Amino acid sequence: MTQRHCAGGNVADDRTPIPELIARKRDGGELTDAELRGLLTRYLADEMDDAQMAALLMAGVIRGFTHDEAVTLADAFVRSGDRVDLAGLRGPTVDKHSTGGVGDTTTFVVAPLLAAAGCQVAKLSGRGLGHTGGTIDKLEAIPGLRTDLTIAQVRAQVERIGLAVAAATADLVPADKRLYALRDVTATVPSPALIASSVMSKKIAGGASTIMLDVKCGDGSFSPTVDDAAALAELCVGIGVAHGRRTAALVTDMSQPLGDAIGNSLEVIAAIEVLQGGGSSRLRDVSLALAAGTLELLGRGEQEALEEVTTLVADGSALARLGALIEAQGGDAAVLDDPRRTLAVAPVVRDWAPPGGTVARIACRRLGEIAGAMGAGRERAADVIDPAVGLEVHVRVGDQVDASGRSAGLPAVRIHAPDEAAAERAAEALSEAIVTGDASTAAVPLIHRRIGFGRA
Ligand code: URA
């Protein structure tokens, strides 16, 4: 454990007047390492108020923070709380992180796959907020499964079965928690340096020596374009490397949902189907690429790594590791045999389709919001999740929908709703979110860029 409420040891005592530092950032200047740490230390000690911090953040969002400022922020965040000590585990310690999106349930595929490949996976995750889902909410869709493990329990479970997925404790990077809450209500989330330092501080405090990132781009993510996402990925990789971690990133598509399922039980089912050798090809391809990319960072060749993870799915080893995780955390392992019977199901299930034609546009973020409005997500932290509800979306841009509302034999969308009225509202909203046309539309690539591979 490290010292609390201090953002950087003996350099955190800079006392430059706060308005002077805010003004420098407002005018496009750079803050030194000592100045930034000093500001954060004063903020955590309540010597800098929320209005001043919000002004500084907004100045940084508009004028930009430099790479060095992002590295300092990440380090100062890490020093604000506990760090997980994974030293001494048998095998390489690895972690993965997605910047978040819709139908993005790769953790349930990647973590067991990496454990099956001999890695030690201690994953501390968050809950969903807004239109994106959260790993912890999805795990809790499995009856009985506990996610409130202590750091000592996480470590002991990893020693026993190679993996644990638990809710991040309050003492892990408390500075980020406080700053993120302020960013959320002051429209200062979308800054590459703030996002990168927030994400990477949690990964660094999580203790793994190898970190694989999935940086999303498109409507359902924080980065509208591939170039924005690549810049964010470079920044994250740079912070990881500056902290001595092997780090790489894939930039992947979030202009439409990743897997076919949006909603907590539905996404657990989607991941199990991939580990059983079927399921959504998009979810499978990104998950396997992330797992293989992690093994590449550990020294495997690109092709060799992909073959290894493909085999670990085909021979059932990865699925068995997911079963071990579920049992170790008190969940009902019968979910692997018959997930659709074991998990909660919605009372109303109704199919919906756009007019026949080629799918021209999918509003990805909107689909997350539609599932969220039925109870799959939360607007406020205190809202209660309904694990059963959500959407199964079987179409993507460029797919054909026939006159009966099906695409490749499946309903375009299946709505899982808490009641008829909610299903009706979802259907109305879908008619603006998924649009068909006559012209053929090119399919969207899934993996746009690989960043950080082949670097020391
Ligand atoms: N996720 C995080 O953890 N932090 C951010 O700033 C944005 C997304």
Side-chain angles (χ1 to χ4, degrees), residues 81 111 141 143 184 193 200 270 279 281 309 313 348-349 365 399 401 415 417 420:
D184 205 24
M200 292 307 293
S281 61
V309 295
V313 171
V348 176
V349 177
R365 176 178 296 258
D399 286 352
V401 178
I415 302 168
E420 290 291 349

Side-chain angles (χ1 to χ4, degrees), residues 41-341:
T41 299
R42 282 184 273 178
Y43 181 61
L44 295 176
D46 294 325
E47 293 166 17
M48 174 182 188
D49 63 31
D50 278 351
Q52 290 175 310
M53 182 52 90
L56 177 78
L57 294 171
M58 187 57 87
V61 167
I62 294 169
R63 305 293 280 191
F65 288 104
T66 64
H67 179 276
D68 287 351
E69 287 174 324
V71 172
T72 298
L73 277 176
D75 186 58
F77 286 165
V78 172
R79 288 168 184 266
S80 72
D82 291 351
R83 279 178 256 185
V84 183
D85 181 4
L86 298 178
L89 291 173
R90 302 176 309 264
T93 54
V94 305
D95 199 353
K96 68 83 57 177
H97 181 82
S98 158
T99 54
V102 179
D104 176 13
T105 191
T106 55
T107 290
F108 294 98
V109 181
V110 176
L113 248 177
L114 289 172
C119 300
Q120 309 287 300
V121 191
K123 180 142 177 49
L124 299 177
S125 296
R127 295 182 184 278
L129 195 63
H131 73 284
T132 64
T135 296
I136 294 303
D137 294 326
K138 294 173 204 175
L139 261 184
E140 288 178 354
I142 300 173
L145 195 140
R146 283 187 49 214
T147 58
D148 60 340
L149 308 185
T150 63
I151 286 177
Q153 287 170 326
V154 167
R155 192 187 153 107
Q157 184 174 314
V158 174
E159 272 176 342
R160 225 171 50 250
I161 63 165
L163 82 163
V165 183
T169 64
D171 293 335
L172 196 84
V173 200
D176 174 63
K177 282 195 179 64
R178 185 150 167 212
L179 223 60
Y180 193 88
L182 183 65
R183 289 167 60 206
D184 205 24
V185 294
T186 55
T188 50
V189 170
S191 145
L194 293 178
I195 295 173
S197 52
S198 163
V199 164
M200 292 307 293
S201 60
K202 285 171 281 202
K203 295 294 103 183
I204 290 158
S209 56
T210 299
I211 300 169
M212 185 72 215
L213 302 164
D214 181 7
V215 179
K216 304 289 187 188
C217 67
D219 172 61
S221 75
F222 286 113
S223 306
T225 69
V226 176
D227 286 342
D228 292 328
L232 176 58
E234 286 284 1
L235 205 46
C236 290
V237 169
I239 291 172
V241 170
H243 283 84
R245 313 300 164 100
R246 289 183 210 93
T247 313
L250 299 181
V251 173
T252 67
D253 178 59
M254 190 42 73
S255 66
Q256 35 190 355
L258 177 57
D260 289 358
I262 309 170
N264 297 285
S265 293
L266 294 172
E267 291 190 45
V268 171
I269 295 168
I272 292 170
E273 284 172 352
V274 168
L275 287 172
Q276 288 171 333
S280 150
S281 61
R282 289 168 52 90
L283 177 59
R284 183 188 60 235
D285 290 352
V286 170
S287 301
L288 264 55
L290 288 167
T294 313
L295 298 183
E296 257 186 83
L297 281 174
L298 294 170
R300 275 41 149 221
E302 189 176 346
Q303 194 54 33
E304 177 195 2
L306 196 56
E307 280 167 16
E308 184 171 343
V309 295
T310 305
T311 302
L312 292 169
V313 171
D315 69 10
S317 319
L319 185 66
R321 287 300 174 129
L322 180 62
L325 171 100
I326 292 170
E327 267 185 44
Q329 294 185 208
D332 183 353
V335 70
L336 295 189
D337 303 323
D338 199 349
R340 288 188 191 263
R341 272 177 193 268

